[in-house]
Amino acid sequence: MLTGQKIVLGVTGSIAAYKSCELLRLLTKKGAVVSVIMTESAQRFVTPLTFKALGAKEVITSDWEDPDHTIPHIDATRDAALFLIAPATANILAKADQGIADDVMSAAILARRCPVAFAPAMNINMWQNPATQRNIAQLVKDGAIILGPAAGEQACGDKGSGRMLEPEEILELLEGAFTPRVLDRCRVLITAGPTFEPIDPVRGITNLSSGKQGFAIAKACAMAGAEVTLVAGRTSLKTPAGVRRIDVTTAYDMYRAVMNEVSRHEVFISVAAVADWRIANPATRKIKKGYTDTPELIFEENPDILASVAALENAPYCVGFAAETDNLIDNARAKVYRKRVPLIVANLVQDALGQDSNTVVFVERDQATPLARASKEQIAQALVAKIAQEVN
Ligand code: CTP
């Protein structure tokens, strides 16, 4: 929900300044309008041109040289939704704490009316120094947001706290802060990804689901304030921040995990591509070529997880997905009735598989609402809005 938000990115003199370039790129990609302020020492690490080329609306480096601004340190943050200083050195934290305004950056911090966030980046000893810790404590008291720092290997060779958070982590935190909490404290259980049915210890039957849509929904729910449990089939996707993840392999594992968890949840979103059938007699040892006749696979049916949840006495609000190759609305509506769920998100396989965007229709008993083609993230946000409407 960063679209159209005006953010001022303050870059101070730390080697982590190179990460701010990526941060700017990620923010503008999300639709934020980003102005940059750089200190003199920041310009020793990266140049204003780098930020300009990456899409900054403007780059302010001094109070004296920009003819577009009458008073840069005041105008820069006017109407801004957030002033984010990343990287924030020990020096800028100290100045912000004391209200020192001896350059365009520190003056802009003092003059701002919008919220301010700092992503500290410094050597571990500088971070742990009582002076820095005092400054941080005071800044928090004054309402500043402190993002990080992370621990790890530092540019100086030391190890420990002081590394700036990665740009993706900062982005995620900001997205969370800018998202309305329409599912505040709502407990949401989600299944995502493919299932895998073993034939023998090295082979199995799976499908082409990437898990991207389910993970995007887990992230959108968490950002909207929900407590999210994600039951995930095999995927290498990263767990979204704040989401509790349970990894499973087979459809039956997924069924057991869901049935174990569901009573604590108010919403169930079944995004996983669940195998309808499993191998009844998977071999315990690898099936060798030549030593047996052509193997025959005997199938037995897996439980329908979504239908089982929807049939529970105190069923949560259930959302299913339907990937169809044809007759989209009719097939999806048939699932609304067959699985007894209020909402099916339907899409055509050819529109979605392996892609980052999709075209979906919200199919309910009495209506079908098509959404314009959108990224899986945007679809997740639309679904969160729909669920919030239904459950609140
Ligand atoms: N689903 C489930 N458990 C299964 C099969 C499907 O929970 N064993 C869920 C999926 O997560 C999805 C919805 O049911 O939300 C529809 O899945 P889909 O595979 O399209 O439906 P099926 O019931 O398998 O119907 P068909 O294969 O005939 O299209």
Side-chain angles (χ1 to χ4, degrees):
M1 301 289 186
L2 287 165
T3 315
Q5 298 287 357
K6 184 178 168 189
I7 293 176
V8 180
L9 175 62
V11 185
T12 65
S14 151
I15 178 62
Y18 81 91
K19 292 187 185 175
S20 312
C21 305
E22 175 64 2
L23 181 57
L24 169 78
R25 206 184 60 78
L26 293 173
L27 287 168
T28 50
K29 212 171 139 197
K30 292 280 174 187
V33 180
V34 187
S35 300
V36 173
I37 305 182
M38 301 179 76
T39 60
E40 244 179 78
S41 27
Q43 293 168 65
R44 291 177 180 257
F45 292 98
V46 277
T47 69
L49 185 63
T50 315
F51 290 106
K52 273 255 170 69
L54 288 170
K57 188 175 150 241
E58 59 183 347
V59 183
I60 299 166
T61 54
S62 150
D63 245 333
W64 314 110
E65 281 162 21
D66 191 340
D68 294 343
H69 284 87
T70 39
I71 318 173
H73 67 265
I74 292 175
D75 291 342
T77 59
R78 213 186 281 283
D79 309 325
L82 179 74
F83 189 5
L84 164 68
I85 294 94
T89 56
N91 186 48
I92 198 66
L93 294 171
K95 287 211 255 180
D97 167 28
Q98 292 296 310
I100 292 171
D102 64 351
D103 64 358
V104 66
M105 181 77 72
S106 50
I109 294 172
L110 196 64
R112 82 186 193 280
R113 280 195 298 192
C114 62
V116 65
F118 296 91
M122 66 198 75
N123 164 271
I124 181 175
N125 300 326
M126 294 171 85
W127 173 249
Q128 287 178 344
N129 191 296
T132 302
Q133 290 304 312
R134 259 197 318 275
N135 295 332
I136 288 283
Q138 186 57 50
L139 286 167
V140 170
K141 246 191 224 163
D142 294 344
I145 304 155
I146 308 294
L147 308 174
E153 201 151 308
Q154 303 198 313
C156 52
D158 284 347
K159 273 192 184 150
S161 278
R163 276 172 64 104
M164 186 170 101
L165 292 184
E166 293 304 322
E168 292 79 11
E169 294 173 303
I170 294 177
L171 183 80
E172 212 156 87
L173 293 169
L174 295 192
E175 279 187 297
F178 280 101
T179 304
R181 295 176 70 84
V182 290
L183 290 180
D184 201 22
R185 285 194 290 265
C186 179
R187 283 161 302 191
V188 180
L189 179 62
I190 300 169
T191 64
T195 57
F196 178 94
E197 306 300 326
I199 294 172
D200 72 9
V202 292
R203 303 181 182 92
I205 295 176
T206 184
N207 58 66
L208 292 175
S209 164
S210 66
K212 281 182 190 166
Q213 185 65 77
F215 276 60
I217 291 168
K219 179 179 169 186
C221 288
M223 286 199 316
E227 291 170 26
V228 182
T229 308
L230 176 62
V231 180
R234 286 186 179 189
T235 151
S236 51
L237 296 174
K238 240 182 80 196
T239 313
V243 167
R244 185 165 78 96
R245 173 171 175 172
I246 301 169
D247 283 318
V248 295
T249 300
T250 66
Y252 207 83
D253 292 343
M254 188 172 270
Y255 169 76
R256 266 195 305 243
V258 166
M259 289 326 237
N260 219 2
E261 290 288 333
V262 71
S263 63
R264 301 190 304 106
H265 293 82
E266 286 125 21
V267 174
F268 175 55
I269 312 175
S270 183
V271 198
V274 186
D276 291 326
W277 304 89
R278 64 175 172 270
I279 310 297
N281 54 340
T284 50
R285 302 171 79 174
K286 187 179 174 194
I287 302 171
K288 302 293 280 182
K289 187 170 54 178
Y291 287 92
T292 52
D293 297 333
T294 306
E296 265 181 33
L297 301 178
I298 300 165
F299 290 95
E300 70 191 0
E301 201 169 344
N302 277 323
D304 186 315
I305 305 170
L306 177 58
S308 310
V309 170
L312 292 171
E313 199 177 328
N314 288 316
Y317 178 78
C318 288
V319 180
F321 271 68
E324 308 292 343
T325 51
D326 45 77
N327 286 337
L328 182 65
I329 310 279
D330 287 349
N331 279 330
R333 184 154 289 127
K335 284 175 191 174
V336 166
Y337 283 99
R338 182 151 42 85
K339 302 192 185 225
R340 294 174 187 276
V341 295
L343 174 62
I344 289 275
V345 181
N347 69 268
L348 288 169
V349 175
Q350 50 272 36
D351 281 345
L353 217 62
Q355 300 184 45
D356 287 329
S357 61
N358 196 357
T359 309
V360 303
V361 185
F362 288 168
V363 180
E364 295 162 90
R365 272 169 189 257
D366 48 1
Q367 57 182 350
T369 316
L371 267 61
R373 185 161 190 95
S375 68
K376 290 187 173 174
E377 239 174 40
Q378 289 165 326
I379 291 170
Q381 285 157 10
L383 181 60
V384 164
K386 169 78 180 159
I387 292 171
Q389 234 176 40
E390 299 297 329
V391 299
N392 290 333

